[in-house]
Amino acid sequence: MPVPARPAYPNSYADLRLWFDEEWKCLDYLDWLRWPNGFRCPACAHAHGWRAPDARWRCAGCGKRVSALAGTIFHGTRTSLFVWFSAAWLLVNSKTGLSASQLHRETELGSLQTAWAMLHRYRSVMVQPGRDRLRGNVEVDVSYLGGSVPGRGALSRVLFAVAVEVDADGLGRARVAVIPAAGTAQLAAFLLDSVEPGSRVVTHDWSAYPAGIRDRYAHVARPTLTPGAPTRQVLPAVRRVVFQANRWLMGPRQGAVSAEHLPAYVDEWVFRFNRRHSVSRGQLFYALLGYAVAGQPVTYQSLLKTGRTRPGAVAAGVVPPAEAATQAGSPLLPWR
């Protein structure tokens, strides 16, 4: 295999404008992300096709016309793909997060509603189903938006569970999920979704953890110092993650996030945190676009009601890129 010569993502906004100065180049990039090994029909899985005059693919097997946008979060969009690409770049490169009003001003979109829906469509794919679970030493706890609450009876604020890997180099990956209650069933479901069985799970000595952990994990229960005392000294890694998540969620937004939309913002924060060591911000853009074409269509009404609709499976034949790969190609179209 030849050694890749050029990156598969732009390294700056100037690169972005150079690479995607025409709409067909944006569509060509999405084609490559969706079918990195060549076109494959989502209807019959036939591996051959050709470009129709309308820029869609025609399957050589069943004759179906397929767009790279069909069945993705871009499905049915009337907004320029360059605007979508610009929104993705601004979203992953803003340290404090990108608001709909900011995107509306930066891209001069037709309406604030369009900007809001665009950002939430991206957030809907930031956490992928079937992702690798945490492993090794994992600290786990439950907290509330705005800070920890002594005890587990008060539900006046949004409750979420946190798990974070801890190793010799410090913090690893994190998982954060809004949960309806801090009961045994909810904790067990969060652990199974977030932590690889056989890992070493570290918690404080609250009585609900042993029943939720059972014999799936090696459990270490650290005693709290005094009843009702903060657990930052008992679970320092979790406390750091909770502090950072709360600061990001409550900072520029000043807490102006409704409960139904909070999971979408939590997913965005996890996406950012787990990629904080990326060499290039272009890697985040590349990952997000890959997830976008591997996702499923999300309607505005579903976003309005629930904040985000997390897909149950990726689109047929699509493997979203987990790492930023490189491909040889021309200076303007390095993915070709």
Side-chain angles (χ1 to χ4, degrees):
M1 178 185 296
V3 177
R6 300 189 66 87
Y9 51 84
N11 282 308
S12 66
Y13 190 69
D15 282 347
L16 184 82
R17 294 182 64 89
L18 179 65
W19 285 24
F20 306 115
D21 59 339
E22 296 184 64
E23 193 77 359
W24 70 267
K25 295 178 183 178
C26 300
L27 188 61
D28 192 61
Y29 190 68
L30 294 181
D31 272 347
W32 174 73
L33 286 173
R34 188 170 185 180
W35 301 298
N37 298 315
F39 170 78
R40 182 171 293 274
C41 179
C44 69
H46 197 75
H48 297 285
W50 62 89
R51 288 276 196 182
D54 60 1
R56 291 184 295 175
W57 286 89
R58 180 180 286 277
C59 175
C62 65
K64 182 180 178 65
R65 293 193 178 206
V66 181
S67 168
L69 309 184
T72 72
I73 70 165
F74 307 112
H75 187 95
T77 184
R78 291 178 290 180
T79 303
S80 163
L81 288 177
F82 179 73
V83 174
W84 276 98
F85 283 24
S86 296
W89 184 269
L90 294 170
L91 179 61
V92 299
N93 279 279
S94 173
K95 291 183 178 180
T96 58
L98 181 67
S99 69
S101 58
Q102 289 174 304
L103 179 62
H104 184 231
R105 289 194 302 269
E106 291 284 344
T107 59
E108 299 183 349
L109 282 166
S111 70
L112 188 62
Q113 173 183 309
T114 300
W116 181 89
M118 181 179 290
L119 292 177
H120 271 284
R121 284 189 170 92
Y122 275 132
R123 293 181 182 116
S124 75
V125 295
M126 282 183 158
V127 171
Q128 287 289 302
R131 58 187 174 164
D132 290 341
R133 291 179 286 191
L134 308 184
R135 60 184 69 237
N137 292 320
V138 182
E139 286 189 12
V140 178
D141 197 16
V142 175
S143 188
Y144 285 82
L145 179 64
S148 301
V149 175
R152 293 295 185 266
L155 292 177
S156 58
R157 287 180 284 181
V158 176
L159 186 69
F160 57 94
V162 183
V164 57
E165 292 174 333
V166 184
D167 54 35
D169 296 326
L171 304 186
R173 298 170 298 159
R175 297 285 184 263
V176 181
V178 175
I179 55 176
T184 298
Q186 290 79 16
L187 289 172
F190 171 74
L191 284 166
L192 281 174
D193 183 60
S194 305
V195 184
E196 189 71 26
S199 300
R200 181 175 179 264
V201 172
V202 182
T203 70
H204 57 70
D205 56 358
W206 186 43
S207 59
Y209 285 115
I213 290 172
R214 300 179 185 175
D215 57 352
R216 302 186 187 102
Y217 308 95
H219 184 206
V220 177
R222 293 176 177 169
T224 51
L225 302 179
T226 58
T231 58
R232 60 178 174 268
Q233 297 178 12
V234 180
L235 301 170
V238 164
R239 291 304 97 192
R240 284 179 61 188
V241 168
V242 169
F243 173 77
Q244 291 182 35
N246 273 292
R247 184 174 62 177
W248 186 81
L249 289 165
M250 301 294 289
R253 297 165 185 81
Q254 298 181 2
V257 177
S258 59
E260 65 270 18
H261 294 130
L262 180 61
Y265 292 99
V266 169
D267 286 351
E268 180 185 348
W269 184 85
V270 171
F271 177 90
R272 292 168 174 275
F273 181 85
N274 289 341
R275 293 164 177 81
R276 65 194 183 279
H277 299 307
S278 296
V279 175
S280 167
R281 305 306 292 178
Q283 290 180 336
L284 277 68
F285 168 83
Y286 172 73
L288 183 56
L289 264 292
Y291 292 158
V293 297
Q296 294 178 357
V298 182
T299 67
Y300 174 75
Q301 290 302 319
S302 69
L303 290 172
L304 197 63
K305 292 177 181 177
T306 64
R308 62 101 160 81
T309 302
R310 185 175 295 170
V314 297
V318 177
V319 179
E323 301 293 336
T326 55
Q327 297 288 335
S330 67
L332 289 181
L333 301 178
W335 55 90
R336 290 176 69 88

